[in-house]
Amino acid sequence: MEKNEEMEELKQKAIVCVIVFLFVIIIGLLFIFNRFGSDVDAVSEALRDKEDFIVFFRSNDDSCSECSMVEDRLNAHGISYYNFDVRVSSFTSVLERLKIDYEVLPPAIYVIQDGEVLYNITDINDQELVDSFIEENKLEEFSN
């Protein structure tokens, strides 16, 4: 009788381990999709549909100290934009679709009209520069 009880206990532990493992995998996949997938896929779809939109190219590592300042300025003006991390694998394909054949240094703001680059500014390092770019190009039209 003791061996059956031990086997049942081992089966229950194995089932719990499998459930926890699946839970961790699912949460991990959701995190990865939300972190890198949603805006990346949305940019590709907007390009395919030849929409008008703004894309903010950023780098989430320490090399982009000004990225949060640019994001804060875009948010302060109420501008809708896609947040695109330059470290994702589809970055080069998006650049190809936009016909950008030069290096994009984050932080960078690109205004896309009918699927083509209309205005852009790269390697931003000054808050006043961001504000003047927004005002001169009337980016408030892309507000939330």
Side-chain angles (χ1 to χ4, degrees):
M1 241 352 172
E2 281 184 36
K3 290 186 179 185
N4 285 339
E5 289 175 14
E6 288 177 11
M7 287 300 281
E8 286 298 318
E9 188 176 334
L10 284 175
K11 284 181 187 177
Q12 289 175 351
K13 286 182 180 180
I15 290 171
V16 169
C17 287
V18 168
I19 290 171
V20 169
F21 177 76
L22 289 175
F23 181 74
V24 169
I25 293 295
I26 290 169
I27 295 296
L29 290 174
L30 287 174
F31 173 74
I32 289 171
F33 177 75
N34 285 335
R35 172 94 172 165
F36 299 114
S38 58
D39 279 353
V40 171
D41 293 341
V43 168
S44 297
E45 186 176 322
L47 283 171
R48 186 174 43 253
D49 296 341
K50 297 190 183 267
E51 295 178 10
D52 299 344
F53 61 96
I54 296 174
V55 63
F56 171 48
F57 291 110
R58 68 173 301 129
S59 178
N60 288 333
D61 59 15
D62 294 334
S63 68
C64 187
S65 60
E66 303 296 328
C67 286
S68 60
M69 178 272 299
V70 173
E71 188 171 24
D72 290 342
R73 297 311 309 150
L74 289 170
N75 292 337
H77 286 275
I79 297 172
S80 296
Y81 59 93
Y82 293 114
N83 200 343
F84 198 104
D85 189 347
V86 298
R87 296 178 298 146
V88 299
S89 61
S90 62
F91 177 64
T92 54
S93 67
V94 167
L95 291 182
E96 288 172 5
R97 290 186 73 185
L98 289 171
K99 297 179 179 85
I100 297 173
D101 57 357
Y102 51 88
E103 183 179 9
V104 175
L105 298 172
I109 303 170
Y110 278 71
V111 180
I112 312 300
Q113 185 175 38
D114 298 325
E116 307 225 352
V117 177
L118 187 61
Y119 310 113
N120 70 64
I121 184 170
T122 63
D123 196 20
I124 304 166
N125 55 15
D126 188 334
Q127 180 174 329
E128 289 78 30
L129 185 63
V130 176
D131 290 336
S132 65
F133 180 78
I134 290 170
E135 291 171 18
E136 289 173 12
N137 297 303
K138 298 179 176 80
L139 299 188
E140 286 90 5
E141 295 173 5
F142 293 91
S143 64
N144 299 341

